[in-house]
Amino acid sequence: DGIIHLDTLYLNVKYPYSDVFKYWYGKVAGAEYRTLKEGIAYGDFVIRNGASCYKVSVWQHDARVFLTDQVDEKVGEGKGSGIWVQLGPKFLIEHFYHLQRAVKELLRAVGVIGDYPIKINRLDIALDLFGVSMQEQDINLWQAGWVGRSKISDLHFNSRTGALETIYIGSRNSPIYLRVYDKVAQAVQEGDIVYWLD
């Protein structure tokens, strides 16, 4: 038994201006790396470090908006990175029936005024299997029985107990990337087990 659901949706907004980046980056420009990594609350958002060319990210629960100054206005028309949006499972569940409106409201809340082209550049699908234990996983079967070019790329074991925690197949840069892990253990560690049980 189990369920299949959209776990994370990644969007790129073709926003050509640096004004939104300047506004949010200006709030944390002098902050230390560690402080920014933990997050700095500002209004309804938490400002954190960015990723790749995005210098800063603005979080609202599990919806994340990554901002950069490397936009068309600075680097030339069609060459900018725009805005990168990551929508986590809680955002997707809450806004399932009005997702487009919710994305526009999120963008408006961070300062994007007007409509700009938005494209999906990645989506993560989750398959939650009930009653399956990580400790029952046969690593040899995952290594020898996997069909396709991608193979096991990493295994993670609990440093205290030695128990298998995560199996990775492929990489984030490959066409196939599979992560097999214990969602319950993750939810307990992150403190949101009650949400997921509900």
Side-chain angles (χ1 to χ4, degrees):
D1 289 339
I3 57 172
I4 298 175
H5 60 94
L6 182 59
D7 188 62
T8 309
L9 184 62
Y10 300 80
L11 307 172
N12 180 261
V13 183
K14 293 294 183 185
Y15 188 70
Y17 309 112
S18 60
D19 58 339
V20 176
F21 164 78
K22 287 176 182 175
Y23 175 81
W24 290 101
Y25 189 70
K27 305 294 179 199
V28 295
E32 291 184 15
Y33 176 83
R34 288 182 186 166
T35 304
L36 199 52
K37 186 174 181 181
E38 290 177 16
I40 298 171
Y42 186 82
D44 292 335
F45 295 93
V46 175
I47 308 169
R48 291 192 167 101
N49 293 320
S52 300
C53 70
Y54 298 91
K55 294 182 182 178
V56 67
S57 60
V58 181
W59 296 48
Q60 190 174 62
H61 307 294
D62 68 346
R64 303 171 290 268
V65 179
F66 289 79
L67 303 166
T68 181
D69 60 347
Q70 299 301 302
V71 292
D72 287 6
E73 182 179 62
K74 180 177 180 180
V75 298
E77 188 173 340
K79 296 179 182 176
S81 296
I83 295 173
W84 181 29
V85 180
Q86 294 181 7
L87 305 173
K90 293 177 186 175
F91 183 94
L92 296 170
I93 290 168
E94 181 180 346
H95 301 292
F96 182 79
Y97 293 104
H98 55 274
L99 188 56
Q100 289 181 350
R101 186 175 75 228
V103 169
K104 288 182 178 181
E105 288 172 0
L106 174 66
L107 290 170
R108 195 175 305 114
V110 298
V112 176
I113 307 303
D115 290 324
Y116 296 89
I118 299 174
K119 70 174 185 174
I120 298 171
N121 60 358
R122 181 176 132 192
L123 51 88
D124 293 351
I125 303 295
L127 169 60
D128 291 336
L129 298 174
F130 307 136
V132 176
S133 168
M134 284 302 296
Q135 303 321 304
E136 296 171 0
Q137 299 304 306
D138 181 349
I139 296 172
N140 291 327
L141 181 60
W142 281 102
Q143 287 176 320
W146 179 257
V147 176
R149 291 185 309 179
S150 296
K151 302 294 181 204
I152 288 182
S153 55
D154 204 358
L155 298 169
H156 281 240
F157 298 89
N158 184 292
S159 59
R160 189 174 42 82
T161 65
L164 176 65
E165 288 188 338
T166 312
I167 301 170
Y168 292 95
I169 293 180
S171 71
R172 292 192 185 275
N173 299 324
S174 67
I176 300 253
Y177 179 62
L178 177 67
R179 181 174 61 143
V180 180
Y181 66 101
D182 186 337
K183 179 70 175 179
V184 174
Q186 180 194 44
V188 168
Q189 181 182 0
E190 294 179 356
D192 60 359
I193 186 66
V194 174
Y195 173 88
W196 290 112
L197 290 173
D198 183 51

